[in-house]
């Protein structure tokens, strides 16, 4: 199919030229409202994670902190997290592909791949949790452990929430075919996945940094 995925979004339907303009204006208003709502939500999420990261840096300056990045600790070589990062990167890239594609078949394939890679990322994070627990690093073993589980768990919950929206859009895509509201859903899912990828890269960098880096951040922020 060539370039007709979002035909309804053009507003040029048999009902007349003015009706088409009204539908187009209404669709634009809905898209704008949805994007603003998502932006507000992401602002709240960013504030939440910023507060947790500040608490992380402050707590890391206490003597009982045992970094997971010590030479003999599990995250000294965080290859498992690199694998999961690759999966989330593929998920984000797939949704960007779905957003940009003008072919129904390719859009559907890319959108479904975005969700599958996101599910694989979540499974990989649970695998890391199981691996840490098996190596003697449970959630209550040390404040560093607790923050790792907390931050990765919160990020995973937000991705799981995104998968709920992804499932609703995917069902409509498979059942009803293309529509203007569906196009908006694909765009919002893509934006959300990109945001969660950026957030994960930040968390990954912080969680795998050295105590010296934490000290430098704390000093820069006036936290010590």
């Amino acid at each position: 199919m060539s370039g007709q995925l979002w035909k309804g979004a053009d507003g040029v339907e048999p009902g007349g030229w003015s009706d088409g303009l009204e539908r187009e204006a209404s669709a634009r208003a809905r898209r704008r409202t949805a994007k603003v709502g998502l932006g507000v939500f992401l602002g709240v999420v960013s504030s939440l994670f910023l507060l947790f990261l500040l608490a992380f840096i402050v707590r890391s300056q206490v003597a009982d902190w045992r970094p997971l990045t010590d030479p003999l600790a599990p995250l000294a070589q965080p290859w498992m997290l690199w694998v999961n990062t690759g999966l989330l990167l593929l998920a984000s890239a797939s949704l960007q592909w779905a957003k940009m594609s003008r072919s129904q078949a390719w859009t559907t394939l890319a959108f479904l791949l975005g969700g599958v890679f996101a599910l694989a990322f979540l499974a990989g994070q649970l695998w890391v949790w199981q691996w840490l627990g098996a190596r003697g690093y449970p959630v209550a073993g040390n404040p560093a452990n607790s923050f790792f589980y907390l931050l990765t768990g919160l990020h995973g919950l937000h991705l799981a929430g995104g998968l709920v929206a992804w499932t609703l859009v995917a069902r409509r895509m498979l059942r009803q075919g293309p529509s203007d509201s569906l196009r908006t859903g694909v765009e919002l899912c893509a934006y959300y996945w990109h945001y969660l990828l950026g957030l994960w890269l930040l968390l990954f960098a912080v969680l795998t940094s050295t105590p010296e880096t934490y000290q430098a951040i704390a000093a820069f922020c006036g936290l010590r």
Side-chain angles (χ1 to χ4, degrees):
M1 182 174 237
S2 58
Q4 297 297 319
L5 176 59
W6 312 119
K7 183 178 178 181
D10 296 335
V12 183
E13 298 291 344
W17 182 68
S18 60
D19 289 345
L21 290 178
E22 290 178 1
R23 279 193 293 271
E24 176 64 16
S26 176
R28 287 180 179 175
R30 289 197 300 271
R31 286 198 294 269
R32 186 165 51 250
T33 301
K35 289 177 181 177
V36 169
L38 178 61
V40 172
F41 174 71
L42 294 184
V44 174
V45 174
S46 299
S47 301
L48 173 68
F49 274 94
L50 176 61
L51 292 174
F52 276 118
L53 287 175
L54 286 175
F56 176 95
I57 294 299
V58 171
R59 191 62 182 83
S60 70
Q61 304 307 298
V62 181
D64 64 347
W65 183 269
R66 297 290 180 269
L68 292 172
T69 53
D70 279 346
L72 298 179
L75 297 186
Q77 301 294 332
W79 63 270
M80 300 169 78
L81 294 181
W82 280 112
V83 172
N84 293 345
T85 301
L87 291 171
L88 192 56
L89 180 62
L90 289 173
S92 182
S94 296
L95 285 185
Q96 181 63 24
W97 178 20
K99 174 175 170 288
M100 297 179 63
S101 176
R102 310 308 294 179
S103 161
Q104 180 181 0
W106 286 116
T107 297
T108 302
L109 174 62
F111 191 77
L112 295 178
L113 282 176
V116 170
F117 283 127
L119 285 170
F121 171 81
L122 289 179
Q125 295 293 74
L126 291 175
W127 176 38
V128 172
W129 280 14
Q130 189 276 332
W131 181 69
L132 287 176
R135 294 196 60 180
Y137 291 85
V139 63
N142 186 268
N145 302 4
S146 303
F147 268 99
F148 179 85
Y149 286 99
L150 173 65
L151 292 173
T152 55
L154 279 177
H155 180 268
L157 282 176
H158 282 85
L159 185 56
L163 282 169
V164 174
W166 171 85
T167 300
L168 296 176
V169 175
R171 288 179 59 186
R172 290 182 58 193
M173 182 179 289
L174 294 174
R175 289 180 178 179
Q176 303 175 8
S179 68
D180 185 62
S181 60
L182 187 60
R183 178 186 181 186
T184 303
V186 172
E187 289 180 353
L188 294 179
C189 284
Y191 294 144
Y192 191 59
W193 258 235
H194 299 338
Y195 172 83
L196 289 178
L197 172 62
L199 178 60
W200 168 246
L201 293 177
L202 174 63
L203 294 178
F204 187 13
V206 171
L207 291 171
T208 57
S209 292
T210 62
E212 290 75 18
T213 302
Y214 301 150
Q215 292 174 8
I217 295 174
F220 179 79
C221 297
L223 300 175
R224 55 170 300 167

